[in-house]
Amino acid sequence: MSNTVLKTTLFVLLSTLSVVLGCRGNQKDGVLVAVSINPLVSLASAVGGDRVEVARLVPPGASPHTYEPTPSQVVMIGRADLVVLVGLGFEFWAEDLLSATRPGNGERLVVYLSETVEPIDGNPHIWLDPVSAISQVELIRDALVEVDPEGASVYAENAARYISELQDLDRELVSEIGTWSQRSFVAFHPAWVYFARRYGLVQAAVVEETPGREPSPAELAGIIDTARRIGARAVFAEPQLPPGVAETLAEESGARVLFLDPLGGSEAPSDYLELIRYNVRTMAEAMK
Ligand SMILES: [Zn+2]
């Protein structure tokens, strides 16, 4: 059997299984919410509280940009009452799962958080702006009320509490970032554009415009030029940056390489509020 045939067979088998499991919805303890990435676990859990079980599709350490779902995730997404995705094509790998796991069944609600924001060039990293996260929490609250109307008052209360924590975080960031002497940075991949727009920072250049594709020597030279010209003190890298590229950039431009983490859950904190604080503390090392 070829690999493709095997994959297809497995997929059909598991899809059928997931539909069967999906029909057992009434026997579940709570509402099952499937989310794509780690930060959305925090948002959905904060609103759902004890009434929901939140399952994450992309495991810590994996890149959502180049992700391939596993068979157990086909089952998970098939059982979910609510699926929370970023949208803007970010979870391109989830679209087939969604159409395969419950064809024509209206019981599962799928929401796209990007519907609440003004997108910047189709960039999906909307969760990294804590003020945008407020509208995202409101969308999750409304979606939970739709799939579980009995929990409406609980969801409203939980959402209000979390929104006030996000507002506190925003105030904290405004006063912290306001003291930084450096406003421009070079990014490994364009994860921080919404964050930058919110807090008056400037992404001057990007190393990997397309996730997973390393820059050519000519592109790298262009980035080094930009970094020198703007006097960038920081290159925002991520753990998956090839170390060679990071070292070259740092040596040639005089900037420091800061390892940020837009997702968390492995070395960086898993909790959304703590993850943002962790990244801002790291940025401050070079930008203050
Ligand atoms: Zn990304």
Side-chain angles (χ1 to χ4, degrees):
M1 211 176 339
S2 82
N3 202 15
T4 315
V5 174
L6 183 68
K7 261 188 171 169
T8 311
T9 312
L10 191 67
F11 189 80
V12 170
L13 192 73
L14 285 161
S15 304
T16 313
L17 179 66
S18 70
V19 170
V20 173
L21 288 169
C23 293
R24 293 174 55 241
N26 293 343
Q27 292 166 32
K28 279 189 307 223
D29 289 339
V31 176
L32 179 61
V33 182
V35 303
S36 52
I37 51 169
N38 190 60
L40 307 188
V41 175
S42 288
L43 305 190
S45 308
V47 182
D50 297 340
R51 294 186 74 88
V52 309
E53 185 195 329
V54 181
R56 178 189 51 208
L57 294 168
V58 181
S63 169
H65 293 287
T66 51
Y67 189 64
E68 283 189 45
T70 63
S72 67
Q73 287 162 338
V74 179
V75 175
M76 191 201 290
I77 211 164
R79 287 179 56 208
D81 303 291
L82 171 64
V83 180
V84 179
L85 301 176
V86 170
L88 295 168
F90 188 52
E91 296 96 345
F92 61 93
W93 42 265
E95 296 304 326
D96 286 350
L97 295 188
L98 289 171
S99 48
T101 45
R102 264 197 205 175
N105 187 325
E107 282 175 46
R108 180 183 57 199
L109 181 63
V110 182
V111 294
Y112 295 93
L113 299 181
S114 56
E115 280 167 15
T116 66
V117 304
E118 190 64 53
I120 304 173
D121 299 329
N123 186 313
H125 303 89
I126 55 167
W127 66 92
L128 293 169
D129 170 3
V131 178
S132 285
I134 293 175
S135 328
Q136 295 166 38
V137 162
E138 288 166 343
L139 184 68
I140 294 170
R141 176 199 61 202
D142 296 346
L144 280 171
V145 171
E146 198 174 326
V147 299
D148 177 28
E150 281 174 29
S153 61
V154 175
Y155 298 138
E157 222 172 274
N158 290 350
R161 195 181 314 118
Y162 199 67
I163 286 168
S164 90
E165 288 191 58
L166 288 168
Q167 287 164 336
D168 288 347
L169 174 64
D170 174 53
R171 275 189 288 270
E172 197 180 307
L173 298 190
V174 167
S175 74
E176 161 66 23
I177 296 169
T179 67
W180 293 357
S181 55
Q182 179 81 11
R183 316 303 300 179
S184 299
F185 61 90
V186 172
F188 168 52
H189 103 279
W192 299 92
V193 291
Y194 293 94
F195 180 89
R197 176 170 73 177
R198 177 67 58 193
Y199 297 106
L201 302 176
V202 179
Q203 176 186 277
V206 177
V207 177
E208 246 190 35
E209 206 55 78
T210 310
R213 193 184 70 84
E214 272 192 47
S216 69
E219 286 166 330
L220 189 56
I223 295 158
I224 292 165
D225 262 7
T226 307
R228 279 196 193 133
R229 199 180 60 242
I230 63 168
R233 295 214 304 262
V235 175
F236 291 179
E238 279 155 48
Q240 65 267 40
L241 176 69
V245 175
E247 280 160 23
T248 309
L249 252 176
E251 274 168 31
E252 301 286 323
S253 69
R256 257 182 85 180
V257 177
L258 303 175
F259 285 91
L260 303 181
D261 190 340
L263 297 166
S266 36
E267 276 175 43
S270 205
D271 173 74
Y272 174 79
L273 302 167
E274 288 313 310
L275 177 67
I276 297 290
R277 289 188 176 105
Y278 164 91
N279 282 298
V280 171
R281 272 200 306 275
T282 310
M283 289 176 196
E285 288 171 21
M287 301 185 66
K288 219 175 167 93

